[in-house]
Amino acid sequence: MSEPEVRPNETTVPLMPCASMEDTLAFYETLGFRAVYRQSKPYVYLALEWSGFQLRFGPAPRGLDPAREESAHCLVLVDEVAPYHAAFAAAMRRAYGKVLDSGLPRITRYRPGASRFTLVDPSGNVITFVRRDEPDELEYGGSKKLTGLAKVIDNARILREFKNDDLQAYRALKSGMRRHGAAAATAERAVALGNLADLATALGEPAEPWIAELRGLTLTEDDRRRVEAELGHLAALPAWLP
C-alpha cells in the first residue's frame, strides 16, 4: 500500500499571546474583524477573521509586558497594502476620532508607494502587512546609490517601515541633520525636517522646533513639489510648510 501523498494546500494560522481578551476583541472588532470563536475558560482562545485571513490568540506567558512589543510578529502577505491601511485608518477615525499612531494599540503611518505597514495590538503583537512583490533585499543603512542627507533619509525610511523602529529613525535623522544638514539641498533639508516633526509627534517628543526650522526655509516651487511628493501623506504638512 502506498504512503499518503502530501498535497500543497496547507494553511498556516498564527497563534499569538493575548494579555486581555476584552481589550484584544474590542480593538480588532473596531477594525472590522469578526470573532469566529471565543473562549475564556479553562484557557483563553480567540479566533478572529477579516477579509480572507484569520488571527488567533491564546494565553499570554507569565510576565508578558505588551509595552515591549516583543509578544509575537505576524506577516500578512497581500497584493497591495494601501487599501488595507486605508480601511483600518478609516475604522480608527470612526471609533476614536483619529488614527492611533502612537502608544498601544496603533498603526504605523503609510507613505504612498511603500510596500508595508504595521499594526501593533493591545498585547504588543506586531502584525505587518507586506506587498507580495516587495524587494527581497534591502540596503540597511541607506542605499549605496545615495550620499549625505539623502542617504540618511533613506536609512530612516528603512528603520521606520521595515524595522518598525521610530526611535532609531528619529535618532538617525537628528544625527544626519547635524552632520549633513548645512551642505544639503533645501528640499532634502525640508524632507528631513518634516520627517523629524512627524516622528517626534509619534514618539511624544517636542515637534515644534523641527516645524519652526521647516517654516524658516525658503522653498522654490520645485522644492515644494518634491517635499509634497515625499511627505504629502502627512495631514499636518500644509500647516508646517512656509
Side-chain angles (χ1 to χ4, degrees), residues 5-231:
E5 182 181 346
V6 174
R7 299 183 182 275
N9 62 349
E10 302 87 358
T11 299
T12 61
V13 180
L15 182 64
M16 297 178 285
C18 179
S20 165
M21 191 167 74
E22 292 76 13
D23 291 347
T24 298
L25 187 58
F27 173 65
Y28 282 103
E29 283 186 333
T30 291
L31 298 182
F33 283 75
R34 178 175 66 93
V36 296
Y37 188 84
R38 55 195 294 185
Q39 164 186 304
S40 58
K41 294 181 180 180
Y43 55 86
V44 169
Y45 188 78
L46 179 63
L48 301 175
E49 185 175 72
W50 192 89
S51 186
F53 71 97
Q54 287 192 4
L55 300 175
R56 300 192 185 189
F57 301 85
R62 183 175 298 176
L64 176 73
D65 181 2
R68 294 178 63 87
E69 299 178 16
E70 297 174 345
S71 304
H73 197 158
C74 169
L75 301 181
V76 182
L77 303 182
V78 298
D79 292 334
E80 294 291 342
V81 296
Y84 291 81
H85 191 278
F88 295 146
M92 287 182 176
R93 290 190 188 96
R94 288 192 297 270
Y96 306 112
K98 64 178 182 177
V99 176
L100 305 180
D101 57 10
S102 62
L104 289 180
R106 72 176 185 278
I107 187 171
T108 59
R109 302 289 181 93
Y110 176 72
R111 178 183 56 82
S115 58
R116 60 173 59 195
F117 72 88
T118 294
L119 280 172
V120 186
D121 75 10
S123 297
N125 297 305
V126 178
I127 297 91
T128 301
F129 290 75
V130 184
R131 198 177 66 209
R132 284 192 175 89
D133 63 351
E134 180 181 85
D136 291 333
E137 296 184 3
L138 296 169
E139 295 183 270
Y140 290 103
S143 171
K144 295 182 176 63
K145 298 177 182 178
L146 301 173
T147 60
L149 189 58
K151 184 181 180 73
V152 174
I153 293 170
D154 191 56
N155 179 37
R157 176 183 65 85
I158 297 296
L159 287 167
R160 192 169 199 188
E161 294 180 9
F162 292 86
K163 302 189 76 174
N164 196 34
D165 196 335
D166 285 1
L167 180 58
Q168 287 304 317
Y170 185 62
R171 289 172 174 170
L173 280 170
K174 285 203 299 183
S175 175
M177 280 293 289
R178 286 195 300 270
R179 290 184 288 115
H180 305 291
T186 302
E188 284 181 0
R189 290 170 59 201
V191 170
L193 290 166
N195 277 311
L196 280 165
D198 183 47
L199 283 161
T201 301
L203 292 166
E205 296 285 336
E208 189 55 42
W210 308 116
I211 297 171
E213 190 171 347
L214 175 55
R215 287 176 178 154
L217 297 178
T218 300
L219 301 178
T220 66
E221 286 303 312
D222 285 344
D223 291 338
R224 184 177 290 270
R225 279 192 291 269
R226 178 178 170 184
V227 173
E228 290 173 346
E230 296 198 32
L231 300 178

